[in-house]
Amino acid sequence: MLAETMGTTAVRAPSWKRLGSMREAGLVAIILALCIAMSFASPHFLTLGNFRAMLMSFSVEGIVVVGMTILLIVGGIDLAVGSVVCFAMVLSGSLFLAGLDPWSASLIGILASALIGAVMGFFVTVVGLNHFITSLAGMVIVRGLCLIITKGTPLSLFTLPPAFKAVGQGSFHGLPYVIIIFVAVVVLFDFLLRRATALRKVFYTGSNEKAALYSGIRTNYVKFWVTVLCSTLAGFAGVIYMSRFGAATPTFGVGMELNIIAAAVIGGASLNGGSGTILGAILGIALLSVVTSSLVLLNVSVYWQDMIKGCILLGAVSIDHFLHKRKAS
Amino acid sequence: MRNPVLNIRNVTKHFGAVKALTNVSFSLSRGEIHALCGENGAGKSTLMNIIAGVLQPDEGEIVLEGKTVKIGSPAAAQSLGLGLVHQEIALCPDASVAENIFMATTSRQRSLLMNYRKLEREAQDVMNRLAPIDVRRKVGDLPISSQQLVEIAKALTLDCRVLIFDEPTAALTEAETRILFEIIRGLKTNGISIIYISHRMAEIFDLCDRVTVLRDGHHVSTEPVADLKPDDVVRLMVGREITQLYPPKQPAGERSHEVVLSVRALGDDHRFDCVNIELMKGEILGIGGLIGSGRTEIAEGICGLRPITSGEILIHGEPQAIRNYADAVNAGLVYLSEDRKGSGVFLDLSIAQNISVLNLDALTGRLGLIDAGAEATLASDFARKLNIRMGSVDAPVSSLSGGNQQKVAIAKQLAVQPKVIVMDEPTRGIDVGAKSEIHTLLRELASSGIGIIVISSELPELLGLCDRVIVIREGTVAGELDAEAMSEEAVIRLASGVNAQNLQNRLASEDAA
């Protein structure tokens, strides 16, 4: 009788329950616990200035994380994002120095980044290489382009007009524009990923490409555009960095891709595709940022920081793997 | 009786709750070619895998030349002189033919370096006995039939006392089959014992000395081939009571003559040719045939999942241009894959997201957003209709049992209100209770006017469920069986070509006369 009732009443779980079962709740708890512990350990931690600095430090990277998460969900990966961030920065910067207005220069920088994504997407979908190898080559090639454009020397952009610099440096009633842009991007893509038909196809393709194909989804088309999206968001981030630093260095963003992939994976994105959320990935990068900030405040040597972050990644993924295995059995 | 080389005594093997073999005994004489027959699932492969050391029996013993042996691994089987030619090709595609042929012997060799020239020479000698294939070529570059010959050559180098061939001719041409038979007869005169598994009666009666029939994991009989006719073997293979209950079929008087789907002279220049199928309104049409006969490929061809080169497809008399699966869905034609986990459902996505996948456009409102409420309602409706037992529509499909996963896959198809559903093995790997629920569901769908095609390897299912059965052999329709003509024997005859063999015999005797 009970089984009968359960079988026939097919309802959605209450929303609080869905929230509770999310991985995001766990990350929030860890971050909060860390913050509370740190507020005892260091008087400088629980200050508005420190929080603003932490938020600023991961806001721009957070935009790249959004693109990477969507790409991971489709079953891809992009090792070239660090190079592309730098590429958009130095291309826009040198166009500005050549006399173009900074807004047009930035637009060209973003479009050129999208084009890089399109080329990688071409190699993945038409030629049939995998994302890892394609983007590994992309990472090296695009870094090379950065060095060619700048002839290896940093570009000094202190002549950028104040209106453009304001994007990266200014604030609205004390709230930096960078953070506003970051939150807008996150909210927009989190919503779209949950609700937009086009992005739902990303989940289908990443979860089971053959089944998606058998459901009439053009999986190559989906993979191509997600690759383009990831590079475009990286280019967008690069332009914001340019505005924020008033400079463009050809070695900027080396190793950034690893931090970004780590954040997405800590946030629940699977390297096998099919799962991941924007919110989780942002919490992942927030966690890494809180850890970095804590280590600095605790005067831990900078040499130790990478190692500790690596251990956190390994721990988070192991716990996830263990929980999944138990659920499966 | 000559002294047996190999004696299997009272072997029993369970897989979880399923008994794959029950108290099976089997003996193989020296220099004998012994056929092993049975339907899919009769236990042939389990028995052979036990002999080849892949599986361990739960009970019973294996006696090799008078000594009880324990065969713990394939390597142990090989060192005892027991070789198996796999039905599925188990070769390394990136290695050369020579390296593949000597894979087993090189792994046993103790020297550090490989003598490639010697290896190639010896491999070529063995290969030449079968076919002139250059042993330096990569296995992956060879056609399937040549790969099968490499697999056989590999077994010939093992210096075996007992060789098992598991449907070796499935991928071979007639000429290659003849060469293989000569080699097998040669092995026999050298005192090697052969176990020969095949569905093809003609081969068994041409080649073998004795035949053992298994059915549902039990030994049915072992007889000299000379004492039997192909029909007898078929009867022994089937001879089972149909215990499962199926929903009632369409009453003969109420059958509609309205054609829903019509497939005319469909071909793909490769796996099937000149296939004609007509599906009537309200009927369940079964498609039978051996694995590899082209059943699945034909279904994929009809549904736009495989390019076709000839023929046409009509739905309600209207010709349809189906170039891909999206076209098929638009035309009202949906396909449910035999490989549920591989290509049927999205395991880590929710039930609601699975059910809506084909129907996203209808659930998409302005701005390209999915109406989440409508999606959940759609899923809940189908869950109720199909009695899917679950927690909530947000639960991942991986949390459901096999039968309920299959219902989700069916719901997914129903969500687009199809005119025709093609189902490949709709109840594979599903327990009996869920199976009969799905059968009832299919009958209800058919009565509501949806045309249903069911492909199945399980004869009882094919006969119990379907109103009419078409049997496929070698990529074309071998015959059609209507209500009264439908029997397991008739299907097996058509599928294995026993009738054609009889015809050939008759023609041969007429020629002689």
Side-chain angles (χ1 to χ4, degrees):
Chain A
M1 190 60 210
L2 189 64
E4 196 65 33
T5 330
M6 279 179 66
T8 48
T9 48
V11 287
R12 308 198 79 185
S15 54
W16 61 266
K17 205 171 169 187
R18 272 185 283 150
L19 197 72
S21 68
M22 276 190 212
R23 172 198 194 93
E24 285 85 340
L27 276 170
V28 169
I30 293 172
I31 293 172
L32 280 180
L34 202 59
C35 287
I36 291 167
M38 275 308 294
S39 64
F40 288 109
S42 163
H44 305 291
F45 186 83
L46 210 61
T47 60
L48 199 61
N50 187 46
F51 268 88
R52 200 174 125 147
M54 280 198 293
L55 208 54
M56 283 290 279
S57 76
F58 72 76
S59 283
V60 193
E61 275 196 359
I63 293 169
V64 189
V65 167
V66 168
M68 182 68 79
T69 305
I70 299 172
L71 186 56
L72 286 171
I73 293 170
V74 88
I77 195 165
D78 188 353
L79 300 175
V81 285
S83 297
V84 172
V85 165
C86 179
F87 172 76
M89 209 173 169
V90 297
L91 180 67
S92 307
S94 47
L95 286 173
F96 167 72
L97 291 179
L100 209 61
D101 76 277
W103 305 99
S104 309
S106 299
L107 187 64
I108 293 173
I110 294 170
L111 291 176
S113 304
L115 186 66
I116 290 170
V119 172
M120 292 196 292
F122 170 83
F123 276 96
V124 169
T125 56
V126 180
V127 180
L129 306 183
N130 67 36
H131 266 107
F132 187 89
I133 294 300
T134 307
S135 66
L136 183 66
M139 173 173 97
V140 180
I141 291 169
V142 174
R143 181 64 64 188
L145 284 176
C146 296
L147 292 166
I148 291 168
I149 290 169
T150 59
K151 300 192 178 65
T153 49
L155 307 176
S156 177
L157 305 170
F158 59 86
T159 53
L160 279 171
F164 185 79
K165 278 190 204 167
V167 174
Q169 300 170 14
S171 56
F172 178 78
H173 292 299
L175 193 61
Y177 288 122
V178 171
I179 294 176
I180 295 172
I181 293 170
F182 161 68
V183 171
V185 168
V186 167
V187 168
L188 176 69
F189 278 96
D190 189 75
F191 176 74
L192 290 179
L193 201 55
R194 289 177 203 274
R195 293 286 305 278
T197 307
L199 289 174
R200 171 67 70 76
K201 290 177 181 168
V202 171
F203 279 99
Y204 290 132
T205 304
S207 171
N208 188 340
E209 189 171 348
K210 207 171 162 198
L213 215 54
Y214 276 27
S215 303
I217 292 169
R218 291 147 73 198
T219 53
N220 269 343
Y221 183 85
V222 174
K223 288 196 300 197
F224 176 84
W225 285 109
V226 172
T227 312
V228 172
L229 175 69
C230 183
S231 283
T232 309
L233 285 173
F236 182 55
V239 170
I240 294 175
Y241 273 126
M242 177 175 82
S243 158
R244 186 167 152 202
F245 298 140
T249 336
T251 53
F252 183 78
V254 173
M256 185 194 272
E257 57 280 346
L258 299 179
N259 211 33
I260 282 163
I261 294 167
V265 171
I266 290 172
S270 159
L271 289 177
N272 297 323
S275 65
T277 62
I278 302 285
L279 183 61
I282 295 308
L283 288 170
I285 201 155
L287 174 63
L288 289 178
S289 180
V290 171
V291 169
T292 309
S293 168
S294 309
L295 295 174
V296 171
L297 288 174
L298 294 172
N299 284 325
V300 175
S301 153
V302 70
Y303 303 123
W304 281 81
Q305 291 180 13
D306 276 352
M307 197 203 74
I308 291 171
K309 280 201 255 181
C311 292
I312 290 173
L313 174 65
L314 203 58
V317 177
S318 302
I319 289 170
D320 194 47
H321 178 72
F322 177 71
L323 289 177
H324 259 93
K325 233 168 66 179
R326 222 177 43 178
K327 207 163 66 183
S329 68
Chain B
M1 191 79 247
R2 286 171 293 181
N3 63 321
V5 176
L6 180 69
N7 227 332
I8 310 285
R9 287 190 192 141
N10 307 325
V11 161
T12 296
K13 176 77 188 170
H14 300 260
F15 293 110
V18 182
K19 238 179 181 179
L21 290 176
T22 311
N23 216 11
V24 169
S25 297
F26 173 84
S27 93
L28 184 67
S29 309
R30 186 178 308 285
E32 157 183 65
I33 306 178
H34 195 133
L36 190 64
C37 289
E39 283 185 275
N40 297 324
K44 295 172 304 203
S45 297
T46 309
L47 183 59
M48 291 310 108
N49 280 323
I50 285 172
I51 297 175
V54 180
L55 297 172
Q56 303 305 316
D58 297 331
E59 287 162 41
E61 59 175 4
I62 300 169
V63 181
L64 187 66
E65 303 203 322
K67 281 196 287 280
T68 301
V69 291
K70 195 177 166 301
I71 309 168
S73 69
Q78 281 173 10
S79 61
L80 288 167
L82 306 169
L84 172 63
V85 179
H86 292 271
Q87 179 184 11
E88 287 117 31
I89 289 161
L91 298 168
C92 302
D94 293 319
S96 73
V97 172
E99 286 164 327
N100 268 286
I101 289 178
F102 284 104
M103 195 154 32
T105 34
T106 45
S107 73
R108 258 187 270 156
Q109 179 178 311
R110 285 282 174 262
S111 66
L112 194 59
L113 299 173
M114 306 240 296
N115 182 346
Y116 274 100
R117 198 169 302 164
K118 180 163 166 270
L119 189 109
E120 273 174 15
R121 193 161 9 88
E122 290 177 6
Q124 193 68 64
D125 286 346
V126 179
M127 202 67 244
N128 283 345
R129 289 165 62 189
L130 287 157
I133 296 170
D134 183 355
V135 296
R136 284 166 300 187
R137 289 184 67 186
K138 256 200 216 170
V139 163
D141 297 338
L142 299 174
I144 295 294
S145 70
S146 304
Q147 293 188 17
Q148 183 72 62
L149 293 170
V150 173
E151 182 80 57
I152 293 165
K154 186 177 152 189
L156 295 180
T157 63
L158 287 175
D159 212 8
C160 290
R161 288 183 273 196
V162 174
L163 250 183
I164 304 166
F165 289 91
D166 192 357
E167 302 207 38
T169 59
L172 298 186
T173 65
E174 215 165 295
E176 288 165 336
T177 302
R178 267 199 300 277
I179 294 170
L180 176 67
F181 282 12
E182 283 318 304
I183 287 173
I184 292 177
R185 290 196 184 99
L187 293 171
K188 175 185 164 171
T189 43
N190 289 336
I192 294 170
S193 310
I194 312 282
I195 300 175
Y196 190 86
I197 301 175
S198 178
H199 281 293
R200 298 183 185 176
M201 294 301 147
E203 293 181 358
I204 292 167
F205 282 82
D206 183 13
L207 186 68
C208 303
D209 302 313
R210 284 197 298 168
V211 54
T212 288
V213 178
L214 295 182
R215 190 200 308 145
D216 295 336
H218 292 267
H219 175 263
V220 175
S221 81
T222 298
E223 303 273 355
V225 168
D227 297 354
L228 293 169
K229 289 192 184 64
D231 277 355
D232 300 328
V233 177
V234 171
R235 201 167 302 126
L236 287 167
M237 278 163 67
V238 176
R240 143 176 29 119
E241 298 294 312
I242 299 177
T243 50
Q244 209 177 348
L245 287 175
Y246 289 91
K249 297 190 187 189
Q250 258 185 329
E254 290 171 26
R255 297 178 68 163
S256 165
H257 293 285
E258 192 186 332
V259 179
V260 181
L261 171 77
S262 168
V263 175
R264 294 184 187 159
L266 200 71
D268 78 338
D269 274 349
H270 179 52
R271 294 301 303 274
F272 57 90
D273 188 35
C274 209
V275 173
N276 292 297
I277 296 172
E278 288 215 318
L279 176 67
M280 307 299 168
K281 190 174 177 193
E283 85 170 337
I284 300 181
L285 174 67
I287 296 187
L290 301 176
I291 289 167
S293 61
R295 303 180 308 198
T296 297
E297 288 79 4
I298 291 169
E300 289 177 347
I302 294 172
C303 299
L305 291 160
R306 175 180 281 271
I308 55 172
T309 52
S310 59
E312 55 175 353
I313 294 160
L314 294 86
I315 293 180
H316 289 301
E318 299 277 324
Q320 306 288 332
I322 296 175
R323 288 172 306 270
N324 53 45
Y325 188 56
D327 288 346
V329 172
N330 285 334
L333 193 57
V334 295
Y335 174 72
L336 196 66
S337 157
E338 63 180 319
D339 181 9
R340 185 172 61 243
K341 286 188 177 150
S343 52
V345 293
F346 305 93
L347 281 177
D348 41 9
L349 299 187
S350 75
I351 294 162
Q353 288 172 338
N354 267 275
I355 291 177
S356 65
V357 62
L358 285 166
N359 209 23
L360 281 183
D361 291 341
L363 293 170
T364 304
R366 281 173 298 126
L367 305 169
L369 299 179
I370 295 171
D371 183 340
E375 185 177 46
T377 310
L378 177 82
S380 304
D381 283 351
F382 276 109
R384 203 170 305 120
K385 254 185 246 168
L386 272 56
N387 196 21
I388 299 172
R389 274 173 288 273
M390 60 180 188
S392 84
V393 294
D394 293 314
V397 166
S398 57
S399 67
L400 302 177
S401 69
N404 283 303
Q405 286 182 9
Q406 184 70 342
K407 287 186 199 167
V408 169
I410 294 172
K412 181 179 105 178
Q413 315 291 350
L414 293 178
V416 288
Q417 294 168 336
K419 299 183 182 112
V420 176
I421 306 181
V422 182
M423 298 202 184
D424 206 347
E425 305 283 4
T427 62
R428 172 182 289 174
I430 289 174
D431 64 84
V432 180
K435 220 172 184 167
S436 86
E437 260 186 275
I438 284 174
H439 289 149
T440 308
L441 175 68
L442 293 183
R443 179 50 71 188
E444 282 168 13
L445 293 172
S447 307
S448 76
I450 299 173
I452 294 184
I453 296 180
V454 168
I455 300 174
S456 179
S457 296
E458 281 182 53
L459 290 178
E461 177 174 57
L462 211 54
L463 300 172
L465 180 66
C466 302
D467 298 305
R468 201 154 55 90
V469 171
I470 282 174
V471 180
I472 305 294
R473 186 176 71 243
E474 287 159 17
T476 195
V477 176
E480 185 188 315
L481 300 167
D482 219 326
E484 298 82 42
M486 272 164 57
S487 70
E488 299 202 10
E489 291 178 34
V491 175
I492 291 187
R493 267 200 208 101
L494 284 171
S496 57
V498 169
N499 283 349
Q501 177 66 25
N502 289 348
L503 191 68
Q504 272 170 14
N505 289 346
R506 208 160 52 234
L507 287 175
S509 57
E510 275 166 16
D511 280 354

